[in-house]
Amino acid sequence: MNEHDSERMAGILEAQGFIPAASADDAEMVILNTCSIRDKAEQKFYSELGRLAHLKSRSGKEVTIAVAGCIAQQEGEKLLSRTPSVDMVIGPSDIARLSAMIEKNRNSGTPVVETDGDPEYHQRLVPASRSDGLKAWVSIMYGCDNFCTYCVVPYLRGRERSRPPRDIIAEARGLGEQGYREVTLLGQNVNSYGKGLEDDCTFPELLRMMQDVDGIERIRFVTSHPRDLSDALIGAIRDLAKVCESIHLPVQSGADRVLALMNRRYTSAEYLDTVRKLRNAVPDMAITTDIIVGFPGETADDFACTMQLLQEVEYDNIFAFKYSQRPHTKALGLPGHLAEEVKEERLAQVLELQKGISLRKNEQHIGSVQEVLVEGASKKGGMLTGRTRGNKAANFIGPAHLRGSFVDVRITTAGPNSLSGELCE
Ligand code: 5AD
Ligand code: SF4
């Protein structure tokens, strides 16, 4: 989401005649697009801002420093007093105002802050500067209404708003015409797409429209909230040839008590039932998830339920995080915040468990033939790399001109993070 916001800001700048600098140190303008989902992301930003501010004051160079994204939204004007080198502060729903802000900053010579949130943002056509040429992100909705008690997103990205389907399809058609082959539809909770739209359109209906876009051969989407994963959506994934057999379905915890405290509005049994339905409909569905360890009050037994759930589901991959205290959120006020060491220990345990599961899941692919969209040279010398429909990296030997094409690869070896194989004739 955040990276795509950066593409959009770059799109606006390029339309104004800016060109990308080789590095931040050479630039006339630097935009730090920030994330505040966890404290670590925030700390990374402050150290980079400090570095740039130092560079600016030391060299006396005329460089404009802008802060965008969720920390911009969270801190607003406060960023200016904290770091006098900051010239612009722009919230995630104010991106379309970037040109006007630059103009205002140049004319006035004083800092400009825009964090009110543009009420029409979801209806604006914002250009995006994409460099990949094959795989593109397309936003379909902004914001989130779920208010999971640990999460800052609803406070910073605002209420859920869906982009009109015609704008999404037009953007996807344009990408298809430019030679893009894969689109990932983006939203905090794509399954509830369509709320408040003038013309009714549900997420499964949007997928059906995407299926008809020429040139785009693969459709993915993130993120799905387990509670909103409807039978209609499962049917669409099963029936639509371009929709890939891969889903990110964040569970967060395996303990019902913790899930309730998190306000996730499902139990582990309901979640497992959804997974069962998905796998019944689409047997080779790859499933990934997000896990938070050390949520306030998480007992050893609660944590054991998470470990148990990981073993039961056997995810293809997981993203696991230590619970991090976030401003505004309800979880801040819950009793039983855990010591850092406990969180670290639990994180290490889930990662260790998953490493074995990921390896086993990948080894199940050995001998199979996978359709791979070739992305180019792999980091390992002399090989090409691409992704399977299940979104696994697959490496193989082949000629460079295959970039951008779909090839069949027979899988011969597997590691926890990737597959390797041979190009089929
Ligand atoms: N602490 C730790 N992880 C968090 N996430 C969201 N908020 C927090 C937090 N306060 C994780 C969730 C979510 C992913 C994007 O980030 O697992 O699914
Ligand atoms: Fe945050 Fe929950 Fe919304 Fe995801 S669904 S963005 S975790 S509030």
Side-chain angles (χ1 to χ4, degrees), residues 253-259 261 292-307 335-338 342-343 346 349:
S253 168
D256 290 344
R257 212 181 59 79
V258 175
L259 288 171
L261 287 171
I292 296 177
V293 298
F295 186 78
E298 184 188 74
T299 63
D301 283 351
D302 293 332
F303 177 65
C305 293
T306 299
M307 294 287 278
H337 284 259
L338 298 179
V342 177
K343 295 189 215 173
R346 290 182 184 174
Q349 283 190 50

Side-chain angles (χ1 to χ4, degrees), residues 144 146-148 150-151 153-154 188 225 264:
C144 181
N146 280 320
F147 291 94
C148 301
Y150 49 81
C151 183
V153 167
Q188 247 74 39
H225 192 294
R264 292 293 289 177

Side-chain angles (χ1 to χ4, degrees), residues 316-376:
D316 290 83
N317 200 2
I318 67 167
F319 301 87
F321 313 103
K322 291 181 283 183
Y323 167 74
S324 168
Q325 297 185 338
R326 298 286 72 207
H328 313 293
T329 59
K330 267 197 179 162
L332 266 184
L334 288 175
H337 284 259
L338 298 179
E340 200 55 26
E341 302 83 72
V342 177
K343 295 189 215 173
E344 244 149 46
E345 166 62 25
R346 290 182 184 174
L347 181 66
Q349 283 190 50
V350 290
L351 292 177
E352 184 58 29
L353 170 62
Q354 183 59 36
K355 204 167 143 194
I357 296 172
S358 293
L359 179 61
R360 256 199 325 279
K361 293 289 279 191
N362 283 348
E363 282 172 349
Q364 286 167 8
H365 289 70
I366 294 175
S368 72
V369 173
Q370 300 285 324
E371 180 203 82
V372 173
L373 172 56
V374 185
E375 292 173 15

